[in-house]
Amino acid sequence: MNTKKAFVVGSGKLANAILKSDFSIPTVELLPWQSSGTTTSPSIVIHAGSGRELKDCLEFCARTGSVLIELSTGLETEKLETTFPLIICPNTSILLLKTLFMLQQFGHNFRDYEISIMESHQSSKTTEPGTAYHIANSLHVPHERVISIRDAKTQAYKINIPVAHLEKHAYHQIVIKDQNDEIKIETKVLGHDSYSSGVKKIIEACIKNKLANKRHTVLDLVYMGLL
């Protein structure tokens, strides 16, 4: 049985959570990223870093035909054309991804209504809110109208994020109004367990299926029934 290496790039909370999780995929060896000279065999690279090592990752994937799973947002990979499979993942919570897919498919039906979008993450998050922007795109709402909350008191007492998860949470609220009628959709992810579990399922999908050598979004995998 051939074992495929999966390298995790990054030193932040998400990267560490993935490395510490129990993946238990028999054919996969999960390792921290060291350098592009680690192996010459096709592998899986999970990029959860700031972008400092991204060039090295891209060169490695191009040379070895490896799959690159991009977990960071706001980087050049979001518009990059590649000769290897690249999967853009603004989020890896599978339940949330299926909700995003639903909005992507049917969001245009709400473009004539009053829509507000609010998101909340831990105060240490400095990158753009990729999931909220994806929601905004699906509902034809300008990014500048997305409300971002980073204040712990607001998160704890107005959004009701448990204090234990203030430093590891992702919350999104969508409100669609038509005069006195209102629909509210809320998503709440506490901790990194669901993200790690989602990454595992994405890796399994990459191993079981031959993806085209191009840029994909993780919602493409949902559309193909792979997640």
Side-chain angles (χ1 to χ4, degrees):
M1 183 180 295
N2 294 326
T3 299
K4 186 180 288 289
K5 290 181 169 59
F7 298 104
V8 179
V9 186
S11 57
K13 293 178 181 178
L14 180 55
N16 287 324
I18 294 170
L19 284 168
K20 292 177 182 177
S21 62
D22 180 17
F23 267 59
S24 63
I25 304 177
T27 58
V28 175
E29 181 182 8
L30 194 67
L31 300 165
W33 175 258
Q34 296 173 359
S35 72
S36 60
T38 303
T39 181
T40 57
S41 302
S43 307
I44 295 174
V45 177
I46 305 153
H47 184 261
S50 63
R52 289 191 303 270
E53 297 171 290
L54 183 57
K55 182 180 178 181
D56 199 19
C57 295
L58 292 171
E59 291 176 350
F60 172 77
C61 290
R63 187 176 69 252
T64 61
S66 297
V67 176
L68 176 58
I69 300 172
E70 177 63 272
L71 304 185
S72 299
T73 57
L75 300 181
E76 63 177 296
T77 42
E78 294 180 356
K79 298 180 180 180
L80 200 63
E81 298 303 325
T82 64
T83 58
F84 54 86
L86 165 63
I87 306 171
I88 305 297
C89 304
N91 203 293
T92 60
S93 166
I94 302 301
L95 179 60
L96 181 53
L97 288 175
K98 292 183 177 182
T99 303
L100 294 179
F101 179 71
M102 176 185 69
L103 291 172
Q104 179 176 280
Q105 293 293 101
F106 303 107
H108 64 277
N109 291 308
F110 302 101
R111 65 188 312 162
D112 295 327
Y113 296 92
E114 180 184 347
I115 300 174
S116 64
I117 301 170
M118 179 176 69
E119 62 88 16
S120 172
H121 287 80
Q122 58 274 8
S123 59
S124 59
K125 180 177 173 63
T126 57
T127 55
E128 68 176 28
T131 299
Y133 284 176
H134 190 282
I135 292 171
N137 293 342
S138 296
L139 294 172
H140 303 277
V141 174
H143 290 182
E144 56 267 24
R145 282 175 47 195
V146 174
I147 300 171
S148 296
I149 306 296
R150 297 292 181 270
D151 177 69
K153 288 185 178 180
T154 302
Q155 293 167 340
Y157 299 110
K158 291 189 176 181
I159 305 178
N160 297 318
I161 302 299
V163 174
H165 291 287
L166 287 176
E167 289 306 311
K168 289 183 181 180
H169 78 275
Y171 172 87
H172 299 85
Q173 181 192 85
I174 307 163
V175 179
I176 304 173
K177 291 184 178 181
D178 180 21
Q179 297 183 24
N180 293 327
D181 299 343
E182 178 180 297
I183 293 174
K184 182 183 291 184
I185 300 173
E186 290 183 304
T187 73
K188 186 182 293 183
V189 178
L190 303 177
H192 283 146
D193 289 348
S194 66
Y195 293 143
S196 299
S197 175
V199 170
K200 175 184 176 181
K201 291 178 181 178
I202 293 168
I203 290 174
E204 289 175 327
C206 292
I207 291 173
K208 294 176 182 177
N209 303 274
K210 177 67 174 176
L211 297 178
N213 292 327
K214 64 176 185 177
R215 184 182 71 248
H216 307 262
T217 74
V218 68
L219 297 187
D220 293 334
L221 275 62
V222 176
Y223 175 76
M224 290 186 284
L226 305 183
L227 293 177

